Amino acid sequence: MSQIEELQGRIAAALDRIGQGLDRMGGGVAEGVEPAPGGLEALQQELEEERIANGQLRERTKKLQVRRQRLEGELQSARENIAEQLREFDAELQGLREANESLREINSKLREANAAGVGDPDLINRALQAELDGLRATRAADRAETTLVYSELFDAVENVRVAHNQED
C-alpha cells in the first residue's frame, strides 16, 4: 500500500510540474513567443499518460482497500470463531476437572470403606458412575480440542487458497 501511495504522490507532483510547464508555455505564446516545435503536444501527451496512470493506480488502490477490508472482516470473524471454540473447550475442560474431582472423592471414600472391611454397593456404583462421567468429559474435551485444531487448520488452508487465487 505504501508503494502505491508513494507512486500517487510522484504522479501528482509530475502532473503539477506539467501543469506549470503548460502555464509557462501558454504565457509565452500569449506574449508572441513560440514554444519549441512539438513541445506542447509532447507535454499534453505526457500529461494524458500520467492521468491514465494515476487513474489506474487509484483503481488499484480502491481494489486493494476493498480486499483489505474484506480480509479484516474475515480475520475478525475467525477471531470470534476461535474465541467461541476456546470458550467451549474451556467448558469441556471444566467438566473434566469436576468429574475427576468427584472421582477422587468417591475413590477416597471407597478406599476408606474397604479399609474398614465394609463393602458399600452404593459407593461402588457412585465410583463407577464418576469414572464413566470422567471418561465422557475426557471424550468431550478431546472432541472440542479436535474441533478447535481442525478449525484452525481449515482457516489457515482457506486463507492460503484465497491469497493464491487473488495473486492469479
Side-chain angles (χ1 to χ4, degrees), residues 11-150:
I11 289 172
L15 289 173
D16 287 341
R17 287 193 307 270
I18 291 170
Q20 291 170 1
L22 288 175
D23 289 342
R24 282 192 304 268
M25 289 184 75
V29 170
E31 296 172 10
V33 178
E34 289 293 320
L40 183 59
E41 290 83 18
L43 283 175
Q44 287 176 335
Q45 179 63 32
E46 188 177 337
L47 177 62
E48 186 59 30
E49 289 172 3
E50 290 295 328
R51 285 182 179 153
I52 291 170
N54 192 15
Q56 290 170 342
L57 283 175
R58 286 182 187 190
E59 281 299 313
R60 185 164 182 224
T61 300
K62 287 178 187 176
K63 287 179 183 177
L64 287 173
Q65 287 173 344
V66 167
R67 181 177 174 209
R68 185 192 74 206
Q69 289 173 347
R70 182 183 50 81
L71 289 175
E72 286 174 351
E74 289 175 4
L75 180 61
Q76 182 62 29
S77 176
R79 285 179 180 157
E80 290 169 0
N81 186 25
I82 290 169
E84 177 61 29
Q85 289 176 352
L86 284 173
R87 284 189 291 275
E88 290 173 10
F89 182 61
D90 186 52
E92 296 296 338
L93 284 178
Q94 185 63 32
L96 178 61
R97 288 182 192 111
E98 291 170 3
N100 284 337
E101 181 62 31
S102 175
L103 182 59
R104 279 191 290 275
E105 289 174 16
I106 292 172
N107 282 340
S108 175
K109 290 178 183 178
L110 188 57
R111 278 193 302 275
E112 291 170 6
N114 282 338
V118 179
D120 185 358
D122 183 53
L123 205 51
I124 292 171
N125 285 340
R126 286 178 47 207
L128 289 173
Q129 185 61 48
E131 186 174 355
L132 283 173
D133 291 344
L135 289 172
R136 286 183 184 123
T138 300
R139 183 171 177 250
D142 289 344
R143 185 174 44 243
E145 183 179 23
T146 301
T147 300
L148 181 65
V149 169
Y150 172 77

